[in-house]
Amino acid sequence: MPNLIRVTLPLMAALLSTVSLSAQAQLNRHIADPLNLKTSLGIGFDADVFKVGGRLGGESQKIELHTNMGGDKWTLSYLYAPVSSGNRLNISAKVNHGKTDTEIGRLSHYQYQFGVISEYVGWYETLVFTELAANYLSIDEHSSSNSFAANASFSVLKPWSDRWYNQLTTQASAAIDGRERFESEAWLSLGYRLSEQWSWEVRYRYEAHRIDEIEHEDTQWVFALQSQF
């Protein structure tokens, strides 16, 4: 663990120093806005897997959990997004646990990530979010493949009307400790707001991973329903 701390803390400091744009939480965020702090509940179908999720929001922070019904794949995340106009940082932290079928069997992993998010408001209410992060991947029974990586993600939220919206998100991770590791993910969604409290989305998602000699690639259609209050 001392080696982990010595490597992670400088990475966090470097990431924090790169943020130049202010990303402030607002009272009336779009339901699909990643900086939305309202409490919410959601359900969805990822291929043939039923998933549930929710977040507990506050004035400047939220805790969010998403899991499948089996409980063997889940993501727990935290966001600190202060409203103060003098603050220029939104801080995110995430723990992801998953199991992936590979040629050598089913691998279980934990990934710990820390990052900062900036926001840019573009033409015609287009919102652009950029996150820079560092993460550590721990693979059960394959500790020789554990690695540190830098992660960058880019998301665009475009409301077309009071009801319809699109969202495009891409992200990629690459090892920074000499390991052979690369991960990428992209998804495109079409959403419809039934009201201020309810919305549904259809998403198409692609992901690809390579860790040493282990490769995994997958595409999925997702249908989700969300309520906020």
Side-chain angles (χ1 to χ4, degrees):
M1 287 301 295
N3 290 332
L4 174 61
I5 294 174
R6 284 198 296 268
V7 174
T8 303
L9 289 180
L11 285 173
M12 292 179 179
L15 289 172
L16 292 174
S17 66
T18 62
V19 177
S20 60
L21 295 176
S22 176
Q24 306 303 328
Q26 298 174 2
L27 295 178
N28 297 312
R29 289 269 180 184
H30 193 282
I31 195 170
D33 191 321
L35 297 182
N36 190 335
L37 300 179
K38 288 185 178 180
T39 298
S40 74
L41 294 172
I43 59 173
F45 293 91
D46 185 342
D48 58 349
V49 178
F50 183 70
K51 295 185 175 182
V52 296
R55 67 172 178 256
L56 179 63
E59 292 184 0
S60 61
Q61 55 193 326
K62 68 179 178 181
I63 298 175
E64 196 163 353
L65 175 66
H66 296 274
T67 181
N68 63 0
M69 293 302 293
D72 59 346
K73 294 183 178 182
W74 51 262
T75 300
L76 177 65
S77 59
Y78 169 81
L79 175 69
Y80 176 63
V83 178
S84 171
S85 59
N87 195 298
R88 307 178 68 85
L89 296 176
N90 294 288
I91 300 174
S92 66
K94 180 169 62 176
V95 180
N96 174 269
H97 172 60
K99 295 184 178 181
T100 304
D101 294 319
T102 70
E103 296 178 353
I104 63 173
R106 198 174 201 209
L107 299 182
S108 176
H109 76 269
Y110 287 88
Q111 183 169 279
Y112 310 90
Q113 181 165 298
F114 178 90
V116 290
I117 303 174
S118 65
E119 175 190 16
Y120 173 76
V121 181
W123 289 352
Y124 302 105
E125 299 181 346
T126 300
L127 299 177
V128 180
F129 304 91
T130 303
E131 181 176 9
L132 299 177
N135 63 56
Y136 177 72
L137 178 66
S138 175
I139 303 177
D140 294 351
E141 300 181 0
H142 287 272
S143 59
S144 61
S145 296
N146 294 353
S147 64
F148 286 95
N151 175 274
S153 66
F154 179 79
S155 180
V156 179
L157 173 61
K158 173 56 183 175
W160 295 103
S161 68
D162 291 339
R163 302 288 186 178
W164 294 97
Y165 62 92
N166 279 118
Q167 192 165 19
L168 171 66
T169 299
T170 62
Q171 65 174 337
S173 296
I176 54 177
D177 58 1
R179 304 299 309 178
E180 185 180 2
R181 172 185 166 200
F182 180 77
E183 301 170 301
S184 62
E185 180 180 328
W187 54 264
L188 176 65
S189 69
L190 172 66
Y192 182 80
R193 293 200 299 177
L194 301 170
S195 66
E196 288 295 324
Q197 287 74 38
W198 291 89
S199 76
W200 59 259
E201 284 189 17
V202 176
R203 304 174 186 169
Y204 180 74
R205 177 176 175 178
Y206 168 81
E207 60 181 39
H209 308 271
R210 178 180 176 85
I211 303 174
D212 294 332
E213 300 301 320
I214 304 171
E215 294 185 5
H216 174 72
E217 187 175 12
D218 193 18
T219 58
Q220 299 168 340
W221 282 98
V222 181
F223 176 79
L225 181 67
Q226 179 178 334
S227 173
Q228 68 175 10
F229 48 92

